[in-house]
């Protein structure tokens, strides 16, 4: 039996919902600077795992405030889900896992999961195991290939779940190493080394059909980011949200290195990291080159131009979004997005079951 597939009665979803006591096998992608306490709490209130998107160098007070907001928002609703924290490792300071914001986050009593992406997770996993308030905290690591997941397990990393990021994902990824979740999930599910690991599908999951497909392919849960950028609770600008809901489809997105050559110092991202965003931004028009090829020459004046304000409304900067953008048609409460995705997936399974009956 496929361990990711819901039972016939739908009374229980997957190993993820059993492991974390969730209503739904849905994880809010911990989008850095977008997944704030209000959004994470709203997803948790609706029954999913709401992950705060955190970076390094944040004070204990800042982290504590965001966790408090997430907890209060979750409890104001049904409280059927859980709260966690996610860290983008390239943003971490030299102190690494000794960073005060990181330690504050992983030791929060409401934290049920810790997500780590883009970097060596080993020292951070050790810190989680040594400092987490709850012994049952789940460690989730994002990877772009089955090989990367297997390598981490063989190195002895104590990881509970892998988020398999397919090439349709919005934001940053490793395009050369990744394929779609249609290929990643069966390969990972069939691998002996990963048999006991929870597998999460990330990349292009923006509607109920994609949720159902991911579960049928072997996922224990889905990671959703872009759909929640267009939520009322997400802290990005209204202009950013409008750009997403007005996009016509996958063709309006592009994979490029141009988004980052202006905003980050050289070497900030690990090798081969690129990003998917809407192609309507000025920085894309001015600086895009084929990925992994010769990049545009950046001058101090270019960096100064880019640094002047956020300008997401005026399309200067990237609006990160995945290939499933055509399914994001309006700005809605996060709770409505969760219910539509998950209850819609139930209907997809029911329809397919009925269609298969002789």
């Amino acid at each position: 039996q496929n361990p990711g597939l819901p039972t016939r009665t739908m009374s229980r979803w997957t190993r993820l919902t059993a492991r974390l006591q969730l209503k739904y096998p849905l994880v809010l992608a911990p989008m850095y600077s977008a997944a704030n306490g209000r959004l994470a709490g709203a997803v948790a209130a609706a029954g999913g795992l709401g992950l705060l998107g955190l970076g390094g160098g944040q004070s204990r007070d800042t982290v504590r405030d965001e966790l408090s907001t997430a907890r209060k928002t979750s409890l104001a609703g049904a409280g059927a889900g859980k709260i966690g924290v996610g860290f983008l490792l390239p943003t971490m300071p030299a102190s690494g896992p000794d960073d005060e914001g990181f330690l504050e986050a992983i030791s929060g009593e409401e934290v049920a999961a810790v997500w780590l992406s883009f970097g060596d997770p080993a020292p951070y996993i050790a810190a989680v195991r040594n400092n987490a308030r709850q012994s049952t905290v789940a460690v989730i690591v994002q990877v772009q290939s089955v090989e990367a997941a297997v390598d981490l397990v063989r190195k002895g990393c104590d990881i509970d779940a892998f988020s398999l990021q397919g090439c349709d994902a919005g934001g940053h990824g490793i395009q050369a190493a990744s394929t779609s979740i249609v290929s990643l999930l069966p390969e990972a599910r069939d691998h002996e080394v990963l048999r006991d690991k929870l597998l999460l599908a990330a990349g292009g999951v923006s509607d109920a059909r994609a949720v159902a497909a991911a579960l049928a392919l072997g996922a224990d849960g889905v990671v959703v980011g872009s759909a929640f950028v267009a939520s009322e609770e997400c802290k990005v600008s209204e202009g950013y949200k409008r750009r997403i809901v007005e996009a016509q489809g996958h063709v309006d997105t592009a994979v490029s290195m141009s988004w980052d050559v202006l905003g980050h110092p050289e070497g900030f991202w690990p090798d081969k990291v690129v990003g998917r965003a809407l192609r309507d931004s000025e920085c894309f028009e001015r600086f895009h080159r084929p990925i992994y090829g010769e990049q545009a020459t950046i001058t101090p004046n270019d960096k100064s131009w880019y640094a002047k304000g956020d300008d997401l409304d005026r399309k200067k900067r990237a609006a990160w979004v995945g290939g499933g953008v055509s399914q994001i048609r309006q700005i809605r409460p996060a709770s409505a997005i969760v219910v539509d995705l998950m209850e819609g997936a139930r209907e997809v399974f029911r329809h397919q079951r009925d269609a298969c009956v002789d």
Side-chain angles (χ1 to χ4, degrees):
Q1 181 179 357
N2 185 337
L5 199 63
T7 62
R8 182 178 180 85
T9 63
M10 297 289 191
S11 60
R12 181 181 70 82
W13 281 87
T14 70
R15 296 187 302 173
L16 177 69
T17 52
R19 169 71 169 76
L20 292 179
Q21 295 300 293
L22 305 173
K23 181 178 181 181
Y24 296 127
L26 179 146
V27 178
L28 167 66
M31 300 168 287
Y32 183 53
S33 77
N36 58 352
R38 186 168 169 241
L39 177 54
V43 170
L49 174 61
L51 294 179
L52 277 164
L54 299 174
Q58 299 188 55
S59 70
R60 288 182 181 273
D61 288 342
T62 298
V63 172
R64 194 177 294 123
D65 288 346
E66 286 294 324
L67 284 171
S68 176
T69 298
R71 182 178 64 252
K72 291 175 181 176
T73 305
S74 174
L75 294 176
K82 292 289 192 300
I83 295 165
V85 293
F87 282 87
L88 191 63
L89 296 185
T91 69
M92 297 300 290
S95 56
D98 293 325
D99 173 63
E100 68 169 33
F102 178 76
L103 291 174
E104 180 67 31
I106 63 176
S107 61
E109 77 177 304
E110 61 275 277
V111 172
V114 177
W115 166 301
L116 304 168
S117 60
F118 295 113
D120 179 10
Y124 296 92
I125 294 171
V128 171
R129 297 309 184 200
N130 291 330
N131 294 280
R133 188 80 62 89
Q134 300 183 43
S135 61
T136 57
V137 165
V139 171
I140 305 169
V141 174
Q142 178 178 268
V143 294
Q144 289 76 30
S145 68
V146 174
E147 180 184 18
V150 170
D151 185 53
L152 287 170
V153 174
R154 286 178 171 160
K155 286 179 178 177
C157 292
D158 186 6
I159 298 167
D160 298 286
F162 287 101
S163 173
L164 298 168
Q165 186 189 40
C167 58
D168 288 326
H172 293 91
I174 303 178
Q175 192 76 4
S178 181
T179 182
S180 75
I181 57 176
V182 174
S183 301
L184 279 173
L185 281 166
E187 181 183 349
R189 179 54 68 202
D190 292 343
H191 202 292
E192 182 178 2
V193 171
L194 302 178
R195 194 151 294 164
D196 295 330
K197 302 299 180 182
L198 300 177
L199 301 179
L200 310 178
V205 182
S206 295
D207 75 350
R209 293 167 296 182
V211 172
L215 294 176
L217 286 164
D220 293 292
V222 294
V223 179
V224 181
S226 299
F228 288 112
V229 175
S231 69
E232 293 177 358
E233 293 85 353
C234 187
K235 71 176 184 179
V236 302
S237 72
E238 291 303 306
Y240 189 153
K241 297 174 186 180
R242 287 196 301 272
R243 288 168 66 184
I244 288 176
V245 299
E246 291 170 3
Q248 296 303 302
H250 185 274
V251 70
D252 289 336
T253 72
V255 174
S256 179
M257 299 176 75
S258 65
W259 328 111
D260 293 309
V261 293
L262 292 163
H264 296 293
E266 187 174 353
F268 177 86
W269 288 103
D271 191 33
K272 303 299 185 183
V273 170
V274 295
R276 182 180 295 280
L278 291 178
R279 59 172 64 238
D280 64 359
S281 67
E282 288 185 60
C283 69
F284 177 79
E285 294 172 3
R286 292 177 59 174
F287 300 104
H288 174 65
R289 300 289 187 278
I291 59 173
Y292 310 141
E294 181 179 352
Q295 296 304 298
T297 300
I298 305 299
T299 69
N301 285 339
D302 294 327
K303 286 184 175 289
S304 176
W305 165 79
Y306 190 75
K308 291 178 180 177
D310 200 332
D311 269 341
L312 284 169
D313 289 355
R314 296 198 294 276
K315 300 185 180 180
K316 176 187 286 187
R317 298 188 175 188
W320 306 109
V321 71
V325 66
S326 67
Q327 306 306 314
I328 307 170
R329 299 269 55 99
Q330 57 183 317
I331 300 169
R332 299 187 293 159
S335 60
I337 297 171
V338 172
V339 171
D340 283 358
L341 287 173
M342 304 315 300
E343 295 302 327
R346 288 183 192 268
E347 290 303 315
V348 171
F349 279 117
R350 290 190 184 106
H351 175 77
Q352 293 302 319
R353 181 192 63 198
D354 293 343
C356 293
V357 174
D358 292 333

